[in-house]
Amino acid sequence: MSDRADLALPLDRLFEQFHIKVASPLGGRLNQHWLVNFKNDHLVLRRWYKETHLEEIDYEVNLLKSIAELGWPVAAVMEGPFEMDGYIWGLFPYLYGEPPSVDNRAAEQRERGRLMAQFHSDLGKLSGIGQRKDWRRCEEILFDSELDRLLSRNEKQRPEEIRILWWHLERARRRVEELRLHSRPGIVIHGDFTPWNLRFQDGKLSGILDFELAHWDHRVGDFALSWRGKYDEVIYGYDEVSPLELEEWELITPMWWAGLIENACRHLKEGTWDDGWIVRKLLERSPLMGQDAVPFR
């Protein structure tokens, strides 16, 4: 079933041939998922987003296999990837459990930070997994002259948003100039280590979901969407298990801003704009930011 060329079959025939029955849709942001019954077991059928390159799919499939071999509860592909009806599909184990409770948000954040540090300790053991297609570390993002061209080109149409983007871009550039980032080591990171992507059962971790944003980066790059510029306890919890170097503390905020600015410029390039989330996040401040907590003006 792993040979893509042999499985370009209509979907209903696939279900019939392999005795797959759809139990319920599970949704997804870009990739779509269904809970299915297959050989008397609950599994997850994934349909990758149609514009996803095979290179990206293979990266994620190989990464999940490697992480599973380290003993972490991730959904490594069981069948596939295979092509059908113009899409790429795969069959994965269903990871049982529930997301962590956020009743005590500070405690949840700190524990998640500790867990991330433990996860990173093992991710650092992986070899042969390079950078994901079209992903960059923040030093490549911040000093990309295309950002300057896109911002200059759109100043008249969106003056206030562009002014905010310029201010944070220039400050982030100044902050990282002396950090010698190109020589710093990196690891593969999850990219979205958030409560809704974790599962627990009987008090134990039973699943880490959604590796759509996994890529090679500075380890503090994993703070971006888990911290989001305000959940400081995540980083303090991480530091308890795996202490951060001074340069890494200095990198946290400019790295977060770099990702936001890159996304904003991607919208500008495509002639789109988000609902204001990017600008709101750029303007957010927390005590952990230190000198970067100075307000925009």
Side-chain angles (χ1 to χ4, degrees):
M1 195 168 176
S2 59
D3 189 336
R4 296 170 185 162
D6 292 342
L7 285 161
L9 304 173
L11 188 55
D12 56 350
R13 286 179 57 197
L14 177 87
F15 287 167
E16 181 180 353
Q17 182 173 345
F18 294 101
H19 309 290
I20 295 175
K21 294 182 179 180
V22 175
S24 62
L26 297 175
R29 186 178 62 90
L30 294 177
N31 303 327
Q32 295 299 308
H33 305 81
W34 293 264
L35 180 65
V36 301
N37 295 319
F38 179 65
K39 295 182 179 178
N40 297 318
D41 196 8
H42 281 321
L43 300 178
V44 174
L45 178 68
R46 169 187 281 192
R47 185 185 71 192
W48 272 277
Y49 181 54
K50 197 163 189 174
E51 296 181 12
T52 307
H53 292 278
L54 291 179
E55 183 181 339
E56 293 182 72
I57 294 173
D58 288 339
Y59 183 96
E60 187 174 340
V61 166
N62 293 333
L63 175 60
L64 287 168
K65 179 177 181 292
S66 297
I67 295 174
E69 289 171 352
L70 292 173
W72 287 88
V74 298
V77 67
M78 297 174 63
E79 301 286 354
F82 51 87
E83 185 176 356
M84 182 173 44
D85 290 348
Y87 288 93
I88 303 297
W89 303 75
L91 206 55
F92 298 81
Y94 179 73
L95 300 179
Y96 291 87
E98 298 294 331
S101 170
V102 294
D103 291 341
N104 186 335
R105 193 170 291 274
E108 182 280 321
Q109 292 168 30
R110 191 169 286 261
E111 185 56 37
R112 180 156 43 94
R114 295 189 191 104
L115 178 62
M116 187 196 301
Q118 295 164 9
F119 189 37
H120 280 184
S121 178
D122 275 354
L123 290 179
K125 300 173 185 177
L126 298 178
S127 61
I129 299 177
Q131 184 59 285
R132 192 174 195 142
K133 178 180 171 59
D134 297 330
W135 283 83
R136 305 180 291 177
R137 299 213 302 185
C138 74
E139 59 268 31
E140 299 173 82
I141 296 170
L142 289 174
F143 295 99
D144 182 357
S145 58
E146 177 67 9
L147 302 185
D148 302 73
R149 286 191 287 271
L150 286 166
L151 294 178
S152 297
R153 196 181 304 153
N154 288 273
E155 280 182 314
K156 290 184 179 179
Q157 293 88 346
R158 311 195 73 93
E160 184 58 24
E161 291 95 335
I162 300 300
R163 190 168 77 89
I164 293 169
L165 291 168
W166 270 125
W167 189 93
H168 287 84
L169 175 59
E170 290 169 354
R171 186 172 182 86
R173 283 172 169 171
R174 289 196 301 270
R175 294 285 286 115
V176 305
E177 277 178 346
E178 298 180 1
L179 295 181
R180 300 184 299 278
L181 298 183
H182 287 284
S183 63
R184 291 197 63 84
I187 63 169
V188 173
I189 65 170
H190 178 275
D192 197 12
F193 208 80
T194 48
W196 50 88
N197 283 328
L198 300 175
R199 294 292 181 271
F200 291 85
Q201 191 171 43
D202 298 327
K204 296 181 180 180
L205 180 71
S206 59
I208 304 176
L209 311 179
D210 191 0
F211 284 76
E212 291 180 19
L213 305 182
H215 63 284
W216 184 82
D217 209 330
H218 303 279
R219 64 172 181 162
V220 298
D222 229 351
F223 293 154
L225 290 180
S226 58
W227 170 52
R228 295 179 183 245
K230 63 179 181 179
Y231 300 128
D232 293 357
E233 293 296 327
V234 170
I235 300 176
Y236 293 135
Y238 187 104
D239 186 59
E240 288 176 356
V241 175
S242 184
L244 298 176
E245 300 173 16
L246 177 61
E247 291 82 1
E248 290 179 304
W249 285 106
E250 297 293 313
L251 179 57
I252 291 170
T253 301
M255 170 170 281
W256 167 231
W257 289 350
L260 292 171
I261 293 165
E262 182 181 43
N263 282 333
C265 287
R266 188 177 294 118
H267 277 293
L268 293 173
K269 187 175 183 179
E270 295 172 355
T272 60
W273 195 253
D274 76 338
D275 62 359
W277 184 86
I278 291 174
V279 166
R280 289 196 301 274
K281 286 298 171 185
L282 279 173
L283 295 175
E284 198 154 30
R285 300 292 184 264
S286 84
L288 182 141
M289 289 181 169
Q291 62 176 296
D292 292 316
V294 60
F296 164 74
R297 54 183 179 271

